[in-house]
Amino acid sequence: MKNFKTIIAVLAISLSTVFTATATDPVLKKNKENSSLRTEMSSYLGNDIPVILKQTTAAEVSFLINNKNEIVVLSVDSKVSELNTYLKSKFNYKKINLKGIKKGEIYLMPLKFEIK
């Protein structure tokens, strides 16, 4: 019985190590499809953002593309709550007209808003 517990423990540790090593990095890497995706998503924002920012602000949008080619925002990480709400409303369920984007894969898009 003691050997069985030891074998199970070793198996659990080795499986957790393998799964951790094979995890993918969800940040948008620079390639043609991801660059096009970022450009199209940026076009949804426009140039005028109705949120008042006092300093340069960063945000990270976590999203996926569903089977209908729509952006589904999972989370927005920013220190400004109004910016979080604005980004969710601008991106959520907007159609993407690109080929080569993996559906169901979680992407993380960093954004930076500068004060002019």
Side-chain angles (χ1 to χ4, degrees):
M1 188 65 172
K2 189 174 185 178
N3 287 338
F4 181 70
K5 289 180 182 179
T6 305
I7 291 171
I8 294 297
V10 168
L11 184 63
I13 291 171
S14 64
L15 284 176
S16 67
T17 305
V18 168
F19 289 134
T20 304
T22 60
T24 58
D25 187 12
V27 176
L28 286 175
K29 294 183 173 70
K30 291 191 177 187
N31 63 30
K32 186 177 179 182
E33 291 85 16
N34 291 344
S35 178
S36 299
L37 177 61
R38 183 176 179 88
T39 302
E40 188 164 340
M41 288 182 70
S42 296
S43 71
Y44 288 129
L45 289 178
N47 292 330
D48 297 324
I49 298 176
V51 179
I52 298 172
L53 300 174
K54 296 178 182 174
Q55 60 186 9
T56 300
T57 305
E60 288 185 339
V61 180
S62 175
F63 65 95
L64 60 88
I65 307 297
N66 66 11
N67 290 332
K68 297 177 184 178
N69 284 342
E70 297 171 330
I71 301 167
V72 178
V73 177
L74 303 174
S75 67
V76 178
D77 185 25
S78 172
K79 294 181 180 178
V80 181
S81 63
E82 294 87 11
L83 184 61
N84 292 348
T85 305
Y86 175 74
L87 291 174
K88 285 178 191 174
S89 69
K90 282 302 207 178
F91 290 143
N92 224 6
Y93 297 104
K94 300 290 188 212
K95 284 273 192 186
I96 294 291
N97 298 318
L98 298 174
K99 298 192 187 240
I101 299 297
K102 295 180 183 175
K103 294 177 175 76
E105 184 173 325
I106 297 173
Y107 293 96
L108 182 66
M109 184 171 68
L111 298 169
K112 187 175 183 180
F113 299 92
E114 295 181 358
I115 304 298
K116 290 186 178 182

